[in-house]
Amino acid sequence: MRSVLHVITGLGVGGAEMMLVKLVSELARRKYTSCVISLKGKPGGPIYQKLHELGIPVFCLDVTRPFSLPLRLYQLINFIRRSQPTVLQSWMYHGDFVGSFIGLIFRIPVIWNLRQSNLAKSHTKQTTLMLISVLARMSRRWPRRIICGSHAAKRVHVAKGYDEKKMVVIPNGFDLRQLNPPEDKIISLKRKLCLEKDTMVIGIVGRFDPQKDYLNFIKASSIVFQRFPQVKLVMCGTGISAENKILYEWLKQFDLLEKAILLGERNDIPVVMGMFTILVSSSLGEGFPNVIGEGMAAGLPCVVTNVGDSAYLVDDTGKVVPPKDPESLAEAIIEMIALPKELLEKKGLAGQKRIRECFSISAVTKKYLDLYDELVQIPRKKQLG
């Protein structure tokens, strides 16, 4: 049985981390076993717990504790030797960088995984841009293949100097079995949040990050409430809480404090989405956004900004508007709300069908497996050429 060693920057709740969980879960049903190295953080958290429940061995290097690194590196070497990986799959920039050295030392074929599609200086740390520049030069020699999570990610990284000949686009996959939770759990959460059964809910899911452009969403929502004051907002993600002073002030400024429910980071996103009537993505930068696909898989009509592969994913099942344009975003949301209930449901079902036919986790996993099998069979010299 072959084994994949996954090296990832950290195990916070994000698109890459969620895709990792779905992939290793699906790989477990096939001929590959998996193990994971996280460069940052300690054991714990929703993603770590999901991996633990799947029986996936996880080693947290925790590079933030430099004095313990010698011991941790010794333990890491033993972890890799026990795992006996035949392929190394790295995730995100630091994972790609460290994973390349691990692959070199242990003579394991390495595949990078690129997710980001907006590398503008205004939204990307200078240190990250420097690392990207280094990785672009490394890409000519070190990884055997480079997976891009979206067509947008491929375009951006080719422009940065990455080796296009090694690139293949494999989108995120979605597991419809996990995205339709029992109705009683949804009803229970609604009651807990004091939401009536028929309350129209505009939902957004994502960490508090400049790329998610929550200010755009809040401005658009303030316009929507002028037309539909009965609507509620449900916002969910890391940093989405009243303790976030910036977010709190934005909601206060646009008179939305009484309209918005802030859930923070959750490990039951399908249940949260089950309360939504419409899912909104207000981002100014995306690759292939998991949250949109998950919303579509759950039967939600979506209103999204035209960034990354969002428009490609939604196609004609939802509405697509320019980024950083709250008026257009509000208008699209209003048009959705104004639709008769049966037409709104029809849009949601069309999106669900698109995910099932084009982006199932089973089909996406097969693309990963085909790539792994190809690399294991190709002689090293030919792969490096």
Coordinates of all heavy atoms in Angstrom, one line a residue, residues 123 204 207-222 233 235 239-242 244-260 262 282 284:
H123 N -2.2 43.3 -0.3 CA -2.9 42.3 0.4 C -2.0 41.1 0.8 O -2.5 40.1 1.3 CB -4.2 41.8 -0.3 CG -5.1 42.9 -0.6 ND1 -5.9 43.5 0.4 CD2 -5.5 43.5 -1.8 CE1 -6.6 44.4 -0.2 NE2 -6.4 44.5 -1.4
I204 N -22.6 34.5 5.2 CA -21.3 34.6 4.7 C -20.3 33.8 5.6 O -20.5 33.9 6.8 CB -20.8 36.1 4.6 CG1 -19.4 36.2 3.9 CG2 -20.8 36.8 5.9 CD1 -19.0 37.6 3.5
R207 N -12.8 33.6 7.1 CA -12.0 34.2 8.2 C -12.0 35.7 7.9 O -12.2 36.2 6.8 CB -10.6 33.7 8.2 CG -9.8 34.1 6.9 CD -8.4 33.3 6.8 NE -7.7 33.8 5.7 CZ -7.8 33.4 4.4 NH1 -8.8 32.5 4.2 NH2 -7.1 33.8 3.5
F208 N -11.7 36.5 9.0 CA -11.6 37.9 8.9 C -10.2 38.2 8.3 O -9.2 38.2 9.0 CB -11.8 38.6 10.2 CG -11.9 40.1 10.2 CD1 -13.0 40.7 9.7 CD2 -10.8 40.9 10.5 CE1 -13.1 42.1 9.6 CE2 -10.9 42.3 10.4 CZ -12.0 42.9 10.0
D209 N -10.2 38.6 7.0 CA -9.0 38.8 6.3 C -9.3 39.8 5.2 O -10.4 39.9 4.6 CB -8.6 37.5 5.6 CG -7.3 37.6 4.9 OD1 -7.3 38.0 3.7 OD2 -6.2 37.2 5.5
P210 N -8.3 40.7 4.9 CA -8.5 41.7 3.8 C -9.0 41.1 2.5 O -9.9 41.8 1.9 CB -7.1 42.4 3.7 CG -6.5 42.2 5.0 CD -7.0 40.8 5.5
Q211 N -8.6 39.9 2.2 CA -9.0 39.3 0.9 C -10.5 39.0 0.9 O -11.1 38.9 -0.2 CB -8.2 38.1 0.6 CG -6.7 38.4 0.5 CD -6.1 38.1 -0.8 OE1 -6.8 38.2 -1.8 NE2 -4.8 37.8 -0.9
K212 N -11.1 38.8 2.1 CA -12.5 38.4 2.1 C -13.4 39.7 2.0 O -14.6 39.6 1.8 CB -12.8 37.7 3.4 CG -12.0 36.4 3.6 CD -12.2 35.4 2.4 CE -11.4 34.1 2.6 NZ -11.6 33.2 1.5
D213 N -12.8 40.8 2.2 CA -13.5 42.1 2.0 C -14.9 42.2 2.8 O -15.9 42.4 2.1 CB -13.7 42.4 0.6 CG -13.9 43.9 0.3 OD1 -13.9 44.7 1.3 OD2 -14.0 44.3 -0.9
Y214 N -14.8 42.0 4.1 CA -16.0 42.1 4.8 C -16.7 43.4 4.8 O -17.9 43.6 5.0 CB -15.8 41.6 6.3 CG -16.0 40.1 6.5 CD1 -14.9 39.3 6.4 CD2 -17.2 39.6 6.8 CE1 -15.1 37.9 6.6 CE2 -17.4 38.3 6.9 CZ -16.3 37.4 6.9 OH -16.5 36.1 7.0
L215 N -15.9 44.5 4.6 CA -16.5 45.8 4.6 C -17.4 45.9 3.4 O -18.4 46.6 3.4 CB -15.3 46.9 4.5 CG -15.8 48.3 4.5 CD1 -16.7 48.6 5.7 CD2 -14.6 49.3 4.4
N216 N -17.0 45.3 2.3 CA -17.8 45.3 1.1 C -19.2 44.6 1.4 O -20.2 45.1 1.0 CB -17.1 44.5 -0.1 CG -17.9 44.5 -1.4 OD1 -18.7 45.3 -1.7 ND2 -17.6 43.4 -2.1
F217 N -19.1 43.5 2.1 CA -20.4 42.8 2.5 C -21.2 43.6 3.4 O -22.5 43.7 3.2 CB -20.0 41.5 3.1 CG -21.1 40.7 3.7 CD1 -22.0 40.1 2.8 CD2 -21.4 40.6 5.1 CE1 -23.1 39.4 3.3 CE2 -22.4 39.9 5.6 CZ -23.3 39.3 4.7
I218 N -20.6 44.3 4.3 CA -21.4 45.1 5.3 C -22.0 46.3 4.6 O -23.2 46.6 4.9 CB -20.5 45.5 6.5 CG1 -20.1 44.3 7.3 CG2 -21.1 46.6 7.3 CD1 -19.0 44.6 8.3
K219 N -21.3 47.0 3.7 CA -21.9 48.1 3.0 C -23.0 47.6 2.1 O -24.1 48.3 2.1 CB -20.8 48.7 2.1 CG -19.8 49.6 2.9 CD -18.7 50.1 1.9 CE -17.7 51.0 2.6 NZ -16.7 51.5 1.6
A220 N -22.9 46.5 1.5 CA -24.0 46.0 0.6 C -25.2 45.6 1.5 O -26.3 45.9 1.1 CB -23.5 44.8 -0.2
S221 N -24.9 45.0 2.6 CA -26.0 44.6 3.5 C -26.8 45.8 4.0 O -28.0 45.7 4.1 CB -25.4 43.8 4.7 OG -24.8 42.6 4.3
S222 N -26.1 46.9 4.3 CA -26.8 48.1 4.7 C -27.8 48.6 3.7 O -28.9 49.1 4.0 CB -25.8 49.2 5.1 OG -25.2 49.7 4.0
L233 N -28.6 38.7 9.1 CA -27.2 38.4 8.6 C -26.7 37.3 9.6 O -26.8 37.5 10.8 CB -26.3 39.6 8.6 CG -26.6 40.8 7.7 CD1 -25.5 41.8 7.9 CD2 -26.7 40.3 6.3
M235 N -22.9 35.6 10.1 CA -21.5 35.7 9.7 C -20.7 34.7 10.5 O -20.8 34.7 11.7 CB -21.0 37.1 9.9 CG -21.9 38.2 9.1 SD -21.5 39.9 9.6 CE -19.9 40.1 9.0
G239 N -12.2 35.0 13.7 CA -12.2 36.5 13.9 C -13.5 37.2 13.7 O -13.6 38.4 13.8
I240 N -14.6 36.4 13.4 CA -15.9 37.0 13.2 C -16.6 37.0 14.5 O -17.4 36.1 14.8 CB -16.7 36.3 12.1 CG1 -15.8 36.2 10.8 CG2 -18.0 37.0 11.8 CD1 -15.4 37.5 10.3
S241 N -16.3 38.0 15.4 CA -17.0 38.0 16.7 C -17.0 39.5 17.1 O -16.3 40.4 16.6 CB -16.2 37.2 17.7 OG -14.9 37.8 18.0
A242 N -17.8 39.7 18.2 CA -17.9 41.1 18.7 C -16.6 41.6 19.3 O -16.4 42.8 19.5 CB -19.0 41.1 19.8
N244 N -13.8 41.5 17.8 CA -13.1 42.0 16.7 C -13.5 43.5 16.6 O -14.6 43.8 16.1 CB -13.4 41.3 15.4 CG -12.6 41.8 14.2 OD1 -12.2 43.0 14.1 ND2 -12.4 40.9 13.3
K245 N -12.7 44.4 17.1 CA -13.0 45.8 17.2 C -13.3 46.4 15.8 O -14.2 47.3 15.7 CB -11.9 46.6 17.9 CG -11.8 46.2 19.4 CD -10.7 47.0 20.1 CE -10.6 46.6 21.6 NZ -9.5 47.4 22.3
I246 N -12.5 46.1 14.8 CA -12.7 46.6 13.5 C -14.1 46.2 12.9 O -14.8 47.1 12.5 CB -11.6 46.1 12.5 CG1 -10.2 46.7 13.0 CG2 -11.8 46.6 11.1 CD1 -9.0 46.1 12.2
L247 N -14.4 44.9 13.0 CA -15.6 44.4 12.5 C -16.8 45.1 13.3 O -17.8 45.5 12.7 CB -15.7 42.9 12.6 CG -17.0 42.2 12.2 CD1 -17.3 42.5 10.7 CD2 -16.9 40.7 12.4
Y248 N -16.7 45.2 14.6 CA -17.7 45.7 15.5 C -18.0 47.2 15.0 O -19.1 47.6 14.9 CB -17.3 45.7 16.9 CG -18.3 46.2 17.9 CD1 -19.3 45.4 18.4 CD2 -18.3 47.5 18.3 CE1 -20.3 45.8 19.3 CE2 -19.3 48.0 19.2 CZ -20.2 47.2 19.7 OH -21.2 47.7 20.5
E249 N -16.9 48.0 14.8 CA -17.1 49.4 14.4 C -17.8 49.5 13.1 O -18.6 50.4 12.8 CB -15.8 50.1 14.5 CG -15.2 50.3 15.9 CD -16.2 51.2 16.7 OE1 -16.8 52.1 16.1 OE2 -16.4 50.9 17.9
W250 N -17.4 48.6 12.1 CA -18.1 48.6 10.8 C -19.6 48.4 11.0 O -20.4 49.1 10.4 CB -17.5 47.6 9.9 CG -16.1 47.9 9.4 CD1 -15.5 49.1 9.4 CD2 -15.2 47.0 8.8 NE1 -14.2 49.0 8.8 CE2 -14.0 47.7 8.4 CE3 -15.2 45.6 8.4 CZ2 -12.9 47.2 7.8 CZ3 -14.1 45.1 7.8 CH2 -13.0 45.8 7.5
L251 N -19.9 47.4 11.7 CA -21.3 47.0 11.9 C -22.1 48.2 12.6 O -23.2 48.5 12.3 CB -21.5 45.8 12.8 CG -21.0 44.5 12.1 CD1 -21.0 43.3 13.1 CD2 -22.0 44.1 10.9
K252 N -21.4 48.8 13.6 CA -22.0 50.0 14.3 C -22.2 51.1 13.3 O -23.2 51.8 13.3 CB -21.1 50.4 15.4 CG -21.7 51.5 16.3 CD -20.7 51.8 17.5 CE -21.3 52.9 18.3 NZ -20.3 53.2 19.5
Q253 N -21.2 51.4 12.5 CA -21.2 52.5 11.6 C -22.4 52.4 10.6 O -23.0 53.4 10.3 CB -19.9 52.6 10.8 CG -19.8 53.7 9.8 CD -18.5 53.6 9.0 OE1 -17.6 52.9 9.3 NE2 -18.4 54.4 7.9
F254 N -22.7 51.2 10.2 CA -23.7 51.0 9.2 C -25.0 50.5 9.8 O -25.9 50.0 9.1 CB -23.3 50.0 8.1 CG -22.2 50.6 7.2 CD1 -20.9 50.5 7.5 CD2 -22.6 51.4 6.1 CE1 -19.9 51.0 6.6 CE2 -21.6 52.0 5.3 CZ -20.3 51.8 5.6
D255 N -25.1 50.6 11.1 CA -26.3 50.4 11.9 C -26.8 48.9 11.7 O -28.0 48.6 11.5 CB -27.4 51.3 11.5 CG -28.6 51.4 12.5 OD1 -28.3 51.1 13.7 OD2 -29.7 51.7 12.1
L256 N -25.9 48.0 11.8 CA -26.2 46.6 11.6 C -26.0 45.7 12.8 O -26.1 44.5 12.7 CB -25.3 46.0 10.4 CG -25.6 46.6 9.0 CD1 -24.6 46.0 8.0 CD2 -27.0 46.4 8.6
L257 N -25.7 46.3 13.9 CA -25.4 45.5 15.1 C -26.5 44.6 15.5 O -26.3 43.5 16.0 CB -25.0 46.4 16.3 CG -23.6 47.0 16.3 CD1 -23.4 48.0 17.4 CD2 -22.5 46.0 16.3
E258 N -27.7 45.1 15.4 CA -28.9 44.3 15.7 C -29.3 43.4 14.7 O -30.2 42.5 14.9 CB -30.1 45.3 16.1 CG -29.8 46.3 17.2 CD -29.5 45.6 18.5 OE1 -30.2 44.5 18.8 OE2 -28.6 46.0 19.2
K259 N -28.8 43.5 13.5 CA -29.1 42.6 12.4 C -28.2 41.4 12.2 O -28.6 40.5 11.5 CB -29.1 43.4 11.1 CG -30.2 44.6 11.0 CD -31.6 44.0 10.9 CE -32.6 45.1 10.6 NZ -33.9 44.6 10.5
A260 N -27.0 41.6 12.7 CA -25.9 40.6 12.4 C -25.8 39.6 13.6 O -25.7 40.0 14.8 CB -24.6 41.3 12.1
L262 N -22.9 37.0 14.9 CA -21.5 36.7 14.6 C -21.2 35.4 15.3 O -21.3 35.3 16.6 CB -20.6 37.8 15.2 CG -21.0 39.2 14.7 CD1 -20.1 40.3 15.3 CD2 -21.0 39.3 13.2
S282 N -18.0 38.0 -0.8 CA -17.7 39.4 -1.1 C -16.2 39.6 -1.4 O -15.7 40.8 -1.4 CB -18.2 40.3 0.0 OG -17.5 39.9 1.2
L284 N -12.3 40.0 -2.6 CA -11.6 40.7 -3.6 C -10.4 39.8 -4.1 O -9.7 40.2 -5.1 CB -11.0 42.1 -3.2 CG -10.2 42.2 -1.9 CD1 -8.7 41.9 -2.2 CD2 -10.3 43.6 -1.3

